[in-house]
Amino acid sequence: MAQEARNIGILRRPLTSLEKIFYGTIVATTVIVAIATIFLQTQMLQVERDLAHLNAQVETKETEITEVKQQINELSRQDRFRKIAEEQGMTVKNDNLVTAEKP
């Protein structure tokens, strides 16, 4: 009886060629999906890194733009023009002052 139980576990019929193709296809598909998933994750991480780099560049440029706008406002103040005119010996007539604005 013990001998029969051992033999039952050992006895298997050989796989048919259709079963081999089926199991091979399943294994190949699993491997391809795993490789594709790893590839896509890697690409996604690269895109996120590039996006973070570009966001940092945008923030730097926005800071530069803000600083330049502040300099423009400081340089275009009427007090500055009056001071420069007085240093050059000129007088400022309030009737001739015009403020230019951006369109």
Side-chain angles (χ1 to χ4, degrees), residues 4-16 19 23:
E4 288 179 18
R6 255 191 258 156
N7 286 339
I8 291 175
I10 295 174
L11 293 177
R12 279 195 274 174
R13 64 177 176 79
L15 295 175
T16 64
E19 289 174 328
Y23 293 131

Side-chain angles (χ1 to χ4, degrees), residues 30-87:
T30 304
V31 169
I32 290 171
V33 168
I35 291 172
T37 301
I38 292 170
F39 176 75
L40 290 175
Q41 288 290 332
T42 305
Q43 292 298 319
M44 192 167 61
L45 288 174
Q46 178 67 34
V47 167
E48 287 176 357
R49 192 174 332 137
D50 291 345
L51 182 62
H53 179 68
L54 289 174
N55 283 337
Q57 286 180 341
V58 166
E59 288 180 19
T60 303
K61 293 298 179 185
E62 286 176 347
T63 303
E64 289 176 10
I65 289 171
T66 303
E67 290 173 358
V68 168
K69 284 182 179 179
Q70 184 178 356
Q71 287 178 355
I72 289 171
N73 288 335
E74 289 174 4
L75 292 173
S76 62
R77 287 191 341 236
Q78 287 186 4
D79 295 342
R80 180 177 172 271
F81 288 121
R82 285 189 181 135
K83 181 180 174 187
I84 293 172
E86 289 172 0
E87 288 175 358

Side-chain angles (χ1 to χ4, degrees), residues 17-33:
S17 54
L18 182 62
E19 289 174 328
K20 289 178 184 177
I21 292 172
F22 176 72
Y23 293 131
T25 303
I26 289 175
V27 169
T29 303
T30 304
V31 169
I32 290 171
V33 168

